[in-house]
Amino acid sequence: MFQRLGLFLRSSIGRKFLMSLTGAALMVFVLGHLLGNLTLFADSTGATFDAYAHAIESNPALPLIEIGLAALFVVHIALGIR
């Protein structure tokens, strides 16, 4: 099973498929970040945005998420260059 997956990912179609997955994941990140930042306009006091910012900063998984995001960028760019 894993051998077939490896063969698929080494093919040109497999690389394009992986690039599309990483691109879609990056787009989901940007959309989520945009929606979170739009909470700035939710109320005049900015309390909703402050709660959003606090939720992100207090997330203990933030370093792992940042590493994963960086890995997505590297894989996407490397596949695009290749």
Side-chain angles (χ1 to χ4, degrees):
M1 165 111 181
F2 290 113
Q3 185 179 15
R4 294 184 83 189
L5 180 62
L7 287 173
F8 175 68
L9 292 178
R10 277 184 251 135
S11 71
S12 64
I13 299 296
R15 287 192 305 264
K16 289 175 186 176
F17 179 73
L18 186 59
M19 187 171 180
S20 69
L21 286 179
T22 58
L26 291 169
M27 288 174 54
V28 167
F29 165 76
V30 169
L31 181 63
H33 201 64
L34 171 70
L35 292 174
N37 285 337
L38 284 175
T39 61
L40 185 60
F41 302 112
D43 59 6
S44 60
T45 63
T48 307
F49 181 76
D50 289 341
Y52 164 71
H54 178 71
I56 288 179
E57 285 296 319
S58 64
N59 188 347
L62 186 61
L64 293 175
I65 294 169
E66 289 174 344
I67 291 169
L69 185 61
L72 281 174
F73 271 107
V74 169
V75 169
H76 188 75
I77 291 170
L79 287 169
I81 290 172
R82 184 168 179 178

PDB file of all heavy atoms in Angstrom, residues 15-49:
ATOM      1  N   ARG A  15       2.698  14.570  -7.857  1.00  0.00           N
ATOM      2  CA  ARG A  15       3.289  15.835  -7.389  1.00  0.00           C
ATOM      3  C   ARG A  15       2.305  16.986  -7.572  1.00  0.00           C
ATOM      4  O   ARG A  15       2.196  17.862  -6.709  1.00  0.00           O
ATOM      5  CB  ARG A  15       4.594  16.103  -8.118  1.00  0.00           C
ATOM      6  CG  ARG A  15       5.724  15.195  -7.674  1.00  0.00           C
ATOM      7  CD  ARG A  15       7.074  15.646  -8.188  1.00  0.00           C
ATOM      8  NE  ARG A  15       7.107  15.786  -9.631  1.00  0.00           N
ATOM      9  CZ  ARG A  15       7.536  14.862 -10.482  1.00  0.00           C
ATOM     10  NH1 ARG A  15       7.966  13.713 -10.009  1.00  0.00           N
ATOM     11  NH2 ARG A  15       7.544  15.087 -11.778  1.00  0.00           N
ATOM     12  N   LYS A  16       1.581  16.980  -8.673  1.00  0.00           N
ATOM     13  CA  LYS A  16       0.580  18.029  -8.900  1.00  0.00           C
ATOM     14  C   LYS A  16      -0.555  17.923  -7.885  1.00  0.00           C
ATOM     15  O   LYS A  16      -1.057  18.935  -7.390  1.00  0.00           O
ATOM     16  CB  LYS A  16       0.025  17.941 -10.319  1.00  0.00           C
ATOM     17  CG  LYS A  16       1.029  18.368 -11.357  1.00  0.00           C
ATOM     18  CD  LYS A  16       0.499  18.158 -12.755  1.00  0.00           C
ATOM     19  CE  LYS A  16       1.598  18.467 -13.763  1.00  0.00           C
ATOM     20  NZ  LYS A  16       1.191  18.193 -15.123  1.00  0.00           N
ATOM     21  N   PHE A  17      -0.934  16.690  -7.566  1.00  0.00           N
ATOM     22  CA  PHE A  17      -1.977  16.476  -6.565  1.00  0.00           C
ATOM     23  C   PHE A  17      -1.522  16.983  -5.197  1.00  0.00           C
ATOM     24  O   PHE A  17      -2.269  17.670  -4.494  1.00  0.00           O
ATOM     25  CB  PHE A  17      -2.330  14.989  -6.501  1.00  0.00           C
ATOM     26  CG  PHE A  17      -3.381  14.653  -5.492  1.00  0.00           C
ATOM     27  CD1 PHE A  17      -4.701  14.993  -5.724  1.00  0.00           C
ATOM     28  CD2 PHE A  17      -3.058  14.000  -4.320  1.00  0.00           C
ATOM     29  CE1 PHE A  17      -5.680  14.689  -4.799  1.00  0.00           C
ATOM     30  CE2 PHE A  17      -4.032  13.702  -3.389  1.00  0.00           C
ATOM     31  CZ  PHE A  17      -5.342  14.039  -3.625  1.00  0.00           C
ATOM     32  N   LEU A  18      -0.271  16.670  -4.832  1.00  0.00           N
ATOM     33  CA  LEU A  18       0.266  17.131  -3.548  1.00  0.00           C
ATOM     34  C   LEU A  18       0.376  18.647  -3.522  1.00  0.00           C
ATOM     35  O   LEU A  18       0.084  19.285  -2.508  1.00  0.00           O
ATOM     36  CB  LEU A  18       1.624  16.479  -3.288  1.00  0.00           C
ATOM     37  CG  LEU A  18       2.262  16.738  -1.932  1.00  0.00           C
ATOM     38  CD1 LEU A  18       1.353  16.269  -0.806  1.00  0.00           C
ATOM     39  CD2 LEU A  18       3.607  16.026  -1.846  1.00  0.00           C
ATOM     40  N   MET A  19       0.776  19.240  -4.643  1.00  0.00           N
ATOM     41  CA  MET A  19       0.861  20.695  -4.698  1.00  0.00           C
ATOM     42  C   MET A  19      -0.513  21.326  -4.554  1.00  0.00           C
ATOM     43  O   MET A  19      -0.667  22.362  -3.897  1.00  0.00           O
ATOM     44  CB  MET A  19       1.509  21.139  -5.999  1.00  0.00           C
ATOM     45  CG  MET A  19       1.796  22.619  -6.055  1.00  0.00           C
ATOM     46  SD  MET A  19       2.773  23.025  -7.477  1.00  0.00           S
ATOM     47  CE  MET A  19       2.929  24.772  -7.261  1.00  0.00           C
ATOM     48  N   SER A  20      -1.531  20.704  -5.149  1.00  0.00           N
ATOM     49  CA  SER A  20      -2.882  21.246  -5.012  1.00  0.00           C
ATOM     50  C   SER A  20      -3.376  21.125  -3.572  1.00  0.00           C
ATOM     51  O   SER A  20      -4.058  22.025  -3.073  1.00  0.00           O
ATOM     52  CB  SER A  20      -3.845  20.554  -5.970  1.00  0.00           C
ATOM     53  OG  SER A  20      -4.065  19.214  -5.589  1.00  0.00           O
ATOM     54  N   LEU A  21      -3.025  20.034  -2.889  1.00  0.00           N
ATOM     55  CA  LEU A  21      -3.420  19.887  -1.483  1.00  0.00           C
ATOM     56  C   LEU A  21      -2.756  20.934  -0.594  1.00  0.00           C
ATOM     57  O   LEU A  21      -3.402  21.528   0.274  1.00  0.00           O
ATOM     58  CB  LEU A  21      -3.079  18.488  -0.975  1.00  0.00           C
ATOM     59  CG  LEU A  21      -3.963  17.352  -1.451  1.00  0.00           C
ATOM     60  CD1 LEU A  21      -3.470  16.025  -0.864  1.00  0.00           C
ATOM     61  CD2 LEU A  21      -5.400  17.587  -1.068  1.00  0.00           C
ATOM     62  N   THR A  22      -1.457  21.157  -0.808  1.00  0.00           N
ATOM     63  CA  THR A  22      -0.766  22.163   0.009  1.00  0.00           C
ATOM     64  C   THR A  22      -1.301  23.556  -0.302  1.00  0.00           C
ATOM     65  O   THR A  22      -1.459  24.380   0.606  1.00  0.00           O
ATOM     66  CB  THR A  22       0.753  22.107  -0.196  1.00  0.00           C
ATOM     67  OG1 THR A  22       1.063  22.306  -1.575  1.00  0.00           O
ATOM     68  CG2 THR A  22       1.334  20.795   0.278  1.00  0.00           C
ATOM     69  N   GLY A  23      -1.599  23.823  -1.574  1.00  0.00           N
ATOM     70  CA  GLY A  23      -2.171  25.121  -1.938  1.00  0.00           C
ATOM     71  C   GLY A  23      -3.538  25.337  -1.308  1.00  0.00           C
ATOM     72  O   GLY A  23      -3.847  26.426  -0.820  1.00  0.00           O
ATOM     73  N   ALA A  24      -4.358  24.282  -1.309  1.00  0.00           N
ATOM     74  CA  ALA A  24      -5.683  24.391  -0.687  1.00  0.00           C
ATOM     75  C   ALA A  24      -5.559  24.616   0.818  1.00  0.00           C
ATOM     76  O   ALA A  24      -6.306  25.411   1.394  1.00  0.00           O
ATOM     77  CB  ALA A  24      -6.495  23.133  -0.973  1.00  0.00           C
ATOM     78  N   ALA A  25      -4.606  23.936   1.454  1.00  0.00           N
ATOM     79  CA  ALA A  25      -4.406  24.125   2.896  1.00  0.00           C
ATOM     80  C   ALA A  25      -3.948  25.552   3.192  1.00  0.00           C
ATOM     81  O   ALA A  25      -4.396  26.163   4.179  1.00  0.00           O
ATOM     82  CB  ALA A  25      -3.392  23.120   3.422  1.00  0.00           C
ATOM     83  N   LEU A  26      -3.085  26.104   2.356  1.00  0.00           N
ATOM     84  CA  LEU A  26      -2.647  27.488   2.543  1.00  0.00           C
ATOM     85  C   LEU A  26      -3.804  28.460   2.341  1.00  0.00           C
ATOM     86  O   LEU A  26      -3.923  29.458   3.065  1.00  0.00           O
ATOM     87  CB  LEU A  26      -1.496  27.813   1.598  1.00  0.00           C
ATOM     88  CG  LEU A  26      -0.175  27.110   1.909  1.00  0.00           C
ATOM     89  CD1 LEU A  26       0.809  27.291   0.765  1.00  0.00           C
ATOM     90  CD2 LEU A  26       0.407  27.596   3.211  1.00  0.00           C
ATOM     91  N   MET A  27      -4.675  28.163   1.379  1.00  0.00           N
ATOM     92  CA  MET A  27      -5.833  29.020   1.161  1.00  0.00           C
ATOM     93  C   MET A  27      -6.801  28.972   2.343  1.00  0.00           C
ATOM     94  O   MET A  27      -7.372  30.001   2.721  1.00  0.00           O
ATOM     95  CB  MET A  27      -6.547  28.626  -0.130  1.00  0.00           C
ATOM     96  CG  MET A  27      -5.784  29.008  -1.373  1.00  0.00           C
ATOM     97  SD  MET A  27      -6.503  28.400  -2.904  1.00  0.00           S
ATOM     98  CE  MET A  27      -8.159  28.993  -2.812  1.00  0.00           C
ATOM     99  N   VAL A  28      -6.967  27.798   2.939  1.00  0.00           N
ATOM    100  CA  VAL A  28      -7.827  27.673   4.124  1.00  0.00           C
ATOM    101  C   VAL A  28      -7.255  28.492   5.271  1.00  0.00           C
ATOM    102  O   VAL A  28      -7.990  29.181   5.995  1.00  0.00           O
ATOM    103  CB  VAL A  28      -7.997  26.192   4.521  1.00  0.00           C
ATOM    104  CG1 VAL A  28      -8.598  26.044   5.903  1.00  0.00           C
ATOM    105  CG2 VAL A  28      -8.856  25.472   3.492  1.00  0.00           C
ATOM    106  N   PHE A  29      -5.925  28.456   5.426  1.00  0.00           N
ATOM    107  CA  PHE A  29      -5.289  29.270   6.469  1.00  0.00           C
ATOM    108  C   PHE A  29      -5.555  30.754   6.236  1.00  0.00           C
ATOM    109  O   PHE A  29      -5.930  31.479   7.164  1.00  0.00           O
ATOM    110  CB  PHE A  29      -3.777  29.015   6.509  1.00  0.00           C
ATOM    111  CG  PHE A  29      -3.030  30.056   7.286  1.00  0.00           C
ATOM    112  CD1 PHE A  29      -3.071  30.055   8.668  1.00  0.00           C
ATOM    113  CD2 PHE A  29      -2.322  31.054   6.641  1.00  0.00           C
ATOM    114  CE1 PHE A  29      -2.400  31.035   9.396  1.00  0.00           C
ATOM    115  CE2 PHE A  29      -1.656  32.018   7.350  1.00  0.00           C
ATOM    116  CZ  PHE A  29      -1.693  32.017   8.733  1.00  0.00           C
ATOM    117  N   VAL A  30      -5.344  31.220   5.010  1.00  0.00           N
ATOM    118  CA  VAL A  30      -5.543  32.645   4.710  1.00  0.00           C
ATOM    119  C   VAL A  30      -6.999  33.046   4.935  1.00  0.00           C
ATOM    120  O   VAL A  30      -7.284  34.102   5.502  1.00  0.00           O
ATOM    121  CB  VAL A  30      -5.086  32.962   3.264  1.00  0.00           C
ATOM    122  CG1 VAL A  30      -5.527  34.351   2.840  1.00  0.00           C
ATOM    123  CG2 VAL A  30      -3.586  32.837   3.160  1.00  0.00           C
ATOM    124  N   LEU A  31      -7.935  32.208   4.503  1.00  0.00           N
ATOM    125  CA  LEU A  31      -9.351  32.515   4.693  1.00  0.00           C
ATOM    126  C   LEU A  31      -9.712  32.564   6.177  1.00  0.00           C
ATOM    127  O   LEU A  31     -10.412  33.481   6.623  1.00  0.00           O
ATOM    128  CB  LEU A  31     -10.220  31.485   3.973  1.00  0.00           C
ATOM    129  CG  LEU A  31     -11.725  31.702   4.068  1.00  0.00           C
ATOM    130  CD1 LEU A  31     -12.116  33.013   3.399  1.00  0.00           C
ATOM    131  CD2 LEU A  31     -12.460  30.549   3.429  1.00  0.00           C
ATOM    132  N   GLY A  32      -9.220  31.608   6.950  1.00  0.00           N
ATOM    133  CA  GLY A  32      -9.484  31.613   8.386  1.00  0.00           C
ATOM    134  C   GLY A  32      -8.894  32.829   9.074  1.00  0.00           C
ATOM    135  O   GLY A  32      -9.515  33.435   9.959  1.00  0.00           O
ATOM    136  N   HIS A  33      -7.682  33.189   8.665  1.00  0.00           N
ATOM    137  CA  HIS A  33      -7.035  34.367   9.240  1.00  0.00           C
ATOM    138  C   HIS A  33      -7.788  35.639   8.856  1.00  0.00           C
ATOM    139  O   HIS A  33      -7.958  36.546   9.675  1.00  0.00           O
ATOM    140  CB  HIS A  33      -5.590  34.419   8.746  1.00  0.00           C
ATOM    141  CG  HIS A  33      -4.689  35.241   9.588  1.00  0.00           C
ATOM    142  ND1 HIS A  33      -4.406  34.928  10.898  1.00  0.00           N
ATOM    143  CD2 HIS A  33      -3.999  36.374   9.311  1.00  0.00           C
ATOM    144  CE1 HIS A  33      -3.574  35.833  11.379  1.00  0.00           C
ATOM    145  NE2 HIS A  33      -3.322  36.721  10.443  1.00  0.00           N
ATOM    146  N   LEU A  34      -8.261  35.703   7.622  1.00  0.00           N
ATOM    147  CA  LEU A  34      -9.042  36.853   7.176  1.00  0.00           C
ATOM    148  C   LEU A  34     -10.329  36.982   7.979  1.00  0.00           C
ATOM    149  O   LEU A  34     -10.672  38.078   8.445  1.00  0.00           O
ATOM    150  CB  LEU A  34      -9.370  36.724   5.691  1.00  0.00           C
ATOM    151  CG  LEU A  34     -10.353  37.752   5.128  1.00  0.00           C
ATOM    152  CD1 LEU A  34      -9.708  39.125   5.070  1.00  0.00           C
ATOM    153  CD2 LEU A  34     -10.837  37.327   3.770  1.00  0.00           C
ATOM    154  N   LEU A  35     -11.031  35.869   8.153  1.00  0.00           N
ATOM    155  CA  LEU A  35     -12.285  35.912   8.921  1.00  0.00           C
ATOM    156  C   LEU A  35     -12.029  36.327  10.368  1.00  0.00           C
ATOM    157  O   LEU A  35     -12.819  37.080  10.948  1.00  0.00           O
ATOM    158  CB  LEU A  35     -12.982  34.560   8.858  1.00  0.00           C
ATOM    159  CG  LEU A  35     -13.528  34.171   7.487  1.00  0.00           C
ATOM    160  CD1 LEU A  35     -14.069  32.747   7.515  1.00  0.00           C
ATOM    161  CD2 LEU A  35     -14.584  35.146   7.032  1.00  0.00           C
ATOM    162  N   GLY A  36     -10.940  35.840  10.940  1.00  0.00           N
ATOM    163  CA  GLY A  36     -10.602  36.245  12.306  1.00  0.00           C
ATOM    164  C   GLY A  36     -10.295  37.728  12.391  1.00  0.00           C
ATOM    165  O   GLY A  36     -10.718  38.416  13.332  1.00  0.00           O
ATOM    166  N   ASN A  37      -9.561  38.247  11.415  1.00  0.00           N
ATOM    167  CA  ASN A  37      -9.239  39.671  11.421  1.00  0.00           C
ATOM    168  C   ASN A  37     -10.454  40.542  11.151  1.00  0.00           C
ATOM    169  O   ASN A  37     -10.508  41.699  11.582  1.00  0.00           O
ATOM    170  CB  ASN A  37      -8.133  39.969  10.414  1.00  0.00           C
ATOM    171  CG  ASN A  37      -6.782  39.513  10.896  1.00  0.00           C
ATOM    172  OD1 ASN A  37      -6.556  39.362  12.088  1.00  0.00           O
ATOM    173  ND2 ASN A  37      -5.882  39.276   9.972  1.00  0.00           N
ATOM    174  N   LEU A  38     -11.434  40.008  10.443  1.00  0.00           N
ATOM    175  CA  LEU A  38     -12.654  40.780  10.194  1.00  0.00           C
ATOM    176  C   LEU A  38     -13.484  40.977  11.461  1.00  0.00           C
ATOM    177  O   LEU A  38     -14.372  41.824  11.476  1.00  0.00           O
ATOM    178  CB  LEU A  38     -13.492  40.116   9.108  1.00  0.00           C
ATOM    179  CG  LEU A  38     -12.976  40.298   7.681  1.00  0.00           C
ATOM    180  CD1 LEU A  38     -13.833  39.496   6.713  1.00  0.00           C
ATOM    181  CD2 LEU A  38     -12.935  41.758   7.287  1.00  0.00           C
ATOM    182  N   THR A  39     -13.173  40.218  12.516  1.00  0.00           N
ATOM    183  CA  THR A  39     -13.888  40.444  13.784  1.00  0.00           C
ATOM    184  C   THR A  39     -13.563  41.816  14.364  1.00  0.00           C
ATOM    185  O   THR A  39     -14.237  42.284  15.270  1.00  0.00           O
ATOM    186  CB  THR A  39     -13.544  39.357  14.824  1.00  0.00           C
ATOM    187  OG1 THR A  39     -12.151  39.389  15.108  1.00  0.00           O
ATOM    188  CG2 THR A  39     -13.951  37.987  14.339  1.00  0.00           C
ATOM    189  N   LEU A  40     -12.533  42.469  13.817  1.00  0.00           N
ATOM    190  CA  LEU A  40     -12.210  43.831  14.238  1.00  0.00           C
ATOM    191  C   LEU A  40     -13.384  44.772  13.992  1.00  0.00           C
ATOM    192  O   LEU A  40     -13.592  45.730  14.733  1.00  0.00           O
ATOM    193  CB  LEU A  40     -10.970  44.324  13.481  1.00  0.00           C
ATOM    194  CG  LEU A  40     -10.397  45.670  13.859  1.00  0.00           C
ATOM    195  CD1 LEU A  40      -9.968  45.667  15.328  1.00  0.00           C
ATOM    196  CD2 LEU A  40      -9.217  46.005  12.989  1.00  0.00           C
ATOM    197  N   PHE A  41     -14.168  44.469  12.974  1.00  0.00           N
ATOM    198  CA  PHE A  41     -15.311  45.315  12.629  1.00  0.00           C
ATOM    199  C   PHE A  41     -16.613  44.840  13.270  1.00  0.00           C
ATOM    200  O   PHE A  41     -17.668  45.396  13.003  1.00  0.00           O
ATOM    201  CB  PHE A  41     -15.482  45.368  11.109  1.00  0.00           C
ATOM    202  CG  PHE A  41     -14.268  45.884  10.404  1.00  0.00           C
ATOM    203  CD1 PHE A  41     -13.519  45.045   9.605  1.00  0.00           C
ATOM    204  CD2 PHE A  41     -13.880  47.198  10.544  1.00  0.00           C
ATOM    205  CE1 PHE A  41     -12.392  45.514   8.953  1.00  0.00           C
ATOM    206  CE2 PHE A  41     -12.760  47.687   9.899  1.00  0.00           C
ATOM    207  CZ  PHE A  41     -12.011  46.836   9.101  1.00  0.00           C
ATOM    208  N   ALA A  42     -16.547  43.810  14.125  1.00  0.00           N
ATOM    209  CA  ALA A  42     -17.757  43.236  14.705  1.00  0.00           C
ATOM    210  C   ALA A  42     -18.406  44.158  15.734  1.00  0.00           C
ATOM    211  O   ALA A  42     -19.627  44.183  15.858  1.00  0.00           O
ATOM    212  CB  ALA A  42     -17.470  41.877  15.333  1.00  0.00           C
ATOM    213  N   ASP A  43     -17.600  44.880  16.460  1.00  0.00           N
ATOM    214  CA  ASP A  43     -18.159  45.815  17.447  1.00  0.00           C
ATOM    215  C   ASP A  43     -17.260  47.031  17.545  1.00  0.00           C
ATOM    216  O   ASP A  43     -16.121  47.033  17.086  1.00  0.00           O
ATOM    217  CB  ASP A  43     -18.353  45.152  18.816  1.00  0.00           C
ATOM    218  CG  ASP A  43     -17.065  44.599  19.394  1.00  0.00           C
ATOM    219  OD1 ASP A  43     -15.998  44.819  18.810  1.00  0.00           O
ATOM    220  OD2 ASP A  43     -17.134  43.948  20.446  1.00  0.00           O
ATOM    221  N   SER A  44     -17.779  48.084  18.147  1.00  0.00           N
ATOM    222  CA  SER A  44     -17.029  49.342  18.198  1.00  0.00           C
ATOM    223  C   SER A  44     -15.935  49.338  19.264  1.00  0.00           C
ATOM    224  O   SER A  44     -15.005  50.132  19.190  1.00  0.00           O
ATOM    225  CB  SER A  44     -17.980  50.510  18.453  1.00  0.00           C
ATOM    226  OG  SER A  44     -18.650  50.321  19.696  1.00  0.00           O
ATOM    227  N   THR A  45     -16.015  48.430  20.239  1.00  0.00           N
ATOM    228  CA  THR A  45     -15.014  48.422  21.303  1.00  0.00           C
ATOM    229  C   THR A  45     -13.805  47.557  20.968  1.00  0.00           C
ATOM    230  O   THR A  45     -12.759  47.698  21.588  1.00  0.00           O
ATOM    231  CB  THR A  45     -15.622  47.896  22.616  1.00  0.00           C
ATOM    232  OG1 THR A  45     -16.041  46.542  22.428  1.00  0.00           O
ATOM    233  CG2 THR A  45     -16.791  48.758  23.040  1.00  0.00           C
ATOM    234  N   GLY A  46     -13.938  46.660  20.012  1.00  0.00           N
ATOM    235  CA  GLY A  46     -12.840  45.777  19.646  1.00  0.00           C
ATOM    236  C   GLY A  46     -12.705  44.576  20.557  1.00  0.00           C
ATOM    237  O   GLY A  46     -11.708  43.860  20.506  1.00  0.00           O
ATOM    238  N   ALA A  47     -13.707  44.324  21.387  1.00  0.00           N
ATOM    239  CA  ALA A  47     -13.632  43.209  22.340  1.00  0.00           C
ATOM    240  C   ALA A  47     -13.627  41.862  21.624  1.00  0.00           C
ATOM    241  O   ALA A  47     -12.940  40.933  22.053  1.00  0.00           O
ATOM    242  CB  ALA A  47     -14.801  43.286  23.324  1.00  0.00           C
ATOM    243  N   THR A  48     -14.363  41.760  20.539  1.00  0.00           N
ATOM    244  CA  THR A  48     -14.399  40.499  19.792  1.00  0.00           C
ATOM    245  C   THR A  48     -13.035  40.195  19.195  1.00  0.00           C
ATOM    246  O   THR A  48     -12.548  39.065  19.255  1.00  0.00           O
ATOM    247  CB  THR A  48     -15.456  40.567  18.677  1.00  0.00           C
ATOM    248  OG1 THR A  48     -16.700  40.964  19.242  1.00  0.00           O
ATOM    249  CG2 THR A  48     -15.609  39.237  17.987  1.00  0.00           C
ATOM    250  N   PHE A  49     -12.395  41.212  18.624  1.00  0.00           N
ATOM    251  CA  PHE A  49     -11.065  41.025  18.059  1.00  0.00           C
ATOM    252  C   PHE A  49     -10.050  40.693  19.147  1.00  0.00           C
ATOM    253  O   PHE A  49      -9.171  39.851  18.948  1.00  0.00           O
ATOM    254  CB  PHE A  49     -10.633  42.272  17.287  1.00  0.00           C
ATOM    255  CG  PHE A  49      -9.274  42.127  16.664  1.00  0.00           C
ATOM    256  CD1 PHE A  49      -9.112  41.367  15.521  1.00  0.00           C
ATOM    257  CD2 PHE A  49      -8.167  42.736  17.221  1.00  0.00           C
ATOM    258  CE1 PHE A  49      -7.860  41.217  14.940  1.00  0.00           C
ATOM    259  CE2 PHE A  49      -6.918  42.592  16.653  1.00  0.00           C
ATOM    260  CZ  PHE A  49      -6.760  41.832  15.499  1.00  0.00           C
TER     261      PHE A  49
END
